Amino acid sequence: MSDFVPAPIAQLPWKTILLLLIMASFGFVVLYSAAGGSLTPWAGLHMVRFLIFLAMAIVFSRLNENFWKTIAFPVYIVVVLMLLGVELIGAVGGGSQRWLNLGFIRIQPSELMKVAIILAVARFYDLLPPSQIRSWSAIWPLLVLLAFPCGLIILQPDLGTTITVAAGALTIAFLAGLPMRLFVGGAVALAVLTPIAFFFGLEEYQQRRVTTFLNPENDPLGAGYHITQSKIAIGSGGIFGKGFLNGTQSHLDYLPEGHTDFVFATMAEEWGLLGGVIVLFGFFLLFRWGLGVAMKAKTRFSQLVAVGLTTTIFFYVAINLMMVMGLAPVVGIPLPFLSHGGSSMMTIMICVGILMSIDRHPGRQSSAFG
């Protein structure tokens, strides 16, 4: 086959691409059912977006590490300016001001920041001399890099994305070698400040999400409605599900946002525990590939970026699944490849494209992980 297939095409991670195609196609099937057996308004657009962004990811795979190093800080600055633009002229939807209308596209800059912060923080620790990793000069720039985007995102307000952005940056800081005592101290400070943040930092609807998470049965028809209906949908699916197009919670509009945040509940009702296990196994294979890319990378920057992007996708999955099963507050995080949404799909495929790039160009410098 090597005599007939061009080398750039043959070198693509076809197993991973096939895995993504299978997962996105399953998302297409779930969204088709959620719309009552119709390609519109979600399923057809979902697949078109995926194919466009897959092509984008393949183009990204042709770029080498020097390109990502060069654009790391400029991209961060551009996305911060976009977040500032959201505060000034952003479009409002669902009670939140999160979108920027560029005329030809309506984009959510906070989603792009999940990638931008990974590149910027990884580039910072790549430039930092190893002898300074335990000094104050390794900490204050990280805090500055986090302060601007997290402050702007929390104003939208979007607590879930703020957590994801911060978690991705802190993961890279930990892997770069920051002392463990800083993270332990941060955890203690967070525990102390959490009650203050709850009463004085969160909007009323965000407070209701937290109290609802702790006891959704107190208000099953109000604040606890989403989680209650999600649990009913997942539980009613049993082991093998009710069957394709036979879901009731989503088809009868009992399950809110069954095509976005709660798409896993929509899927579980029709495909059951078996469908859920298959979805989780698909994500496991994706995470294994991402971490494998990080382990094969030879440079500090590429290793940090690969792990950061993989954990970013992991946070999408973990937070969404915990949310729909009532194990975490509802924070509006979509499920990759299944949920309907253009900005989140683009962000995930940018992550995949950069991972493909690192996989193709692993570099030759010494390992960041010793």
Side-chain angles (χ1 to χ4, degrees):
M1 290 296 294
S2 60
D3 295 332
F4 302 98
V5 180
I9 297 178
Q11 292 171 0
L12 290 173
W14 285 108
K15 290 182 180 179
T16 302
I17 292 175
L18 178 61
L19 171 64
L20 299 181
L21 280 168
I22 292 173
M23 295 181 70
S25 297
F26 189 45
F28 168 85
V29 171
V30 174
L31 293 173
Y32 178 85
S33 176
S38 173
L39 292 175
T40 57
W42 308 311
L45 184 57
H46 170 83
M47 209 61 196
V48 169
R49 283 172 172 168
F50 170 76
L51 293 175
I52 292 173
F53 293 141
L54 177 61
M56 176 194 69
I58 292 174
V59 172
F60 283 0
S61 73
R62 302 292 299 162
L63 306 173
N64 60 28
E65 179 183 309
N66 289 333
F67 174 82
W68 302 115
K69 284 183 175 180
T70 302
I71 70 167
F73 292 131
V75 164
Y76 170 84
I77 293 171
V78 169
V79 179
V80 168
L81 292 176
M82 292 174 69
L83 288 171
L84 185 59
V86 169
E87 290 302 313
L88 298 176
I89 58 172
V92 178
S96 300
Q97 189 170 340
R98 302 177 184 176
W99 289 268
L100 195 62
N101 194 338
L102 302 180
F104 63 95
I105 189 174
R106 189 168 180 259
I107 197 168
Q108 189 175 348
S110 59
E111 285 289 330
L112 296 178
M113 181 50 70
K114 295 174 183 177
V115 178
I117 194 70
I118 296 296
L119 292 174
V121 174
R123 183 57 175 154
F124 164 67
Y125 286 115
D126 177 55
L127 293 171
L128 187 74
S131 59
Q132 298 183 26
I133 194 64
R134 293 181 176 271
S135 67
W136 176 242
S137 60
I139 301 172
W140 72 262
L142 171 68
L143 299 179
V144 172
L145 287 172
L146 275 174
F148 287 106
C150 288
L152 290 170
I153 295 171
I154 202 68
L155 288 175
Q156 294 182 359
D158 191 346
L159 179 61
T161 300
T162 305
I163 293 172
T164 305
V165 169
L170 293 176
T171 298
I172 290 183
F174 175 76
L175 294 174
L178 259 63
M180 177 63 75
R181 66 177 182 273
L182 294 177
F183 296 94
V184 174
V188 173
L190 182 63
V192 173
L193 294 175
T194 294
I196 299 175
F198 176 82
F199 289 106
F200 300 104
L202 297 183
E203 300 287 342
E204 183 179 351
Y205 82 93
Q206 291 175 323
Q207 292 178 348
R208 286 199 303 270
R209 285 181 174 180
V210 176
T211 56
T212 298
F213 154 66
L214 296 174
N215 194 356
E217 287 75 18
N218 276 348
D219 190 11
L221 298 179
Y225 185 78
H226 288 67
I227 293 179
T228 301
Q229 295 301 320
S230 178
K231 288 181 178 179
I232 291 173
I234 294 173
S236 65
I239 297 178
F240 299 107
K242 297 178 179 178
F244 180 54
L245 295 175
N246 290 327
T248 55
Q249 295 299 110
S250 58
H251 291 174
L252 298 177
D253 293 330
Y254 287 111
L255 180 65
E257 305 299 331
H259 62 292
T260 53
D261 297 347
F262 289 89
V263 72
F264 184 82
T266 300
M267 181 280 302
E269 184 182 21
E270 296 190 356
W271 297 86
L273 176 64
L274 179 61
V277 170
I278 292 174
V279 169
L280 291 177
F281 183 68
F283 284 123
F284 165 76
L285 294 178
L286 181 61
F287 300 148
R288 188 181 68 168
W289 169 71
L291 293 178
V293 170
M295 296 304 295
K296 289 189 298 181
K298 300 296 191 298
T299 69
R300 181 181 181 85
F301 175 78
S302 59
Q303 285 191 331
L304 292 175
V305 169
V307 173
L309 296 177
T310 302
T311 53
T312 295
I313 301 174
F314 170 79
F315 287 133
Y316 269 100
V317 176
I319 295 175
N320 178 272
L321 295 183
M322 292 174 66
M323 178 183 73
V324 300
M325 291 185 286
L327 300 177
V330 178
V331 291
I333 298 292
L335 185 63
F337 307 111
L338 272 75
S339 292
H340 175 74
S343 294
S344 60
M345 174 73 78
M346 179 172 63
T347 301
I348 294 296
M349 294 308 292
I350 290 175
C351 292
V352 170
I354 299 175
L355 285 169
M356 287 181 179
S357 171
I358 296 172
D359 193 25
R360 182 186 287 256
H361 309 97
R364 295 182 180 177
Q365 297 177 21
S366 59
S367 170
F369 299 139

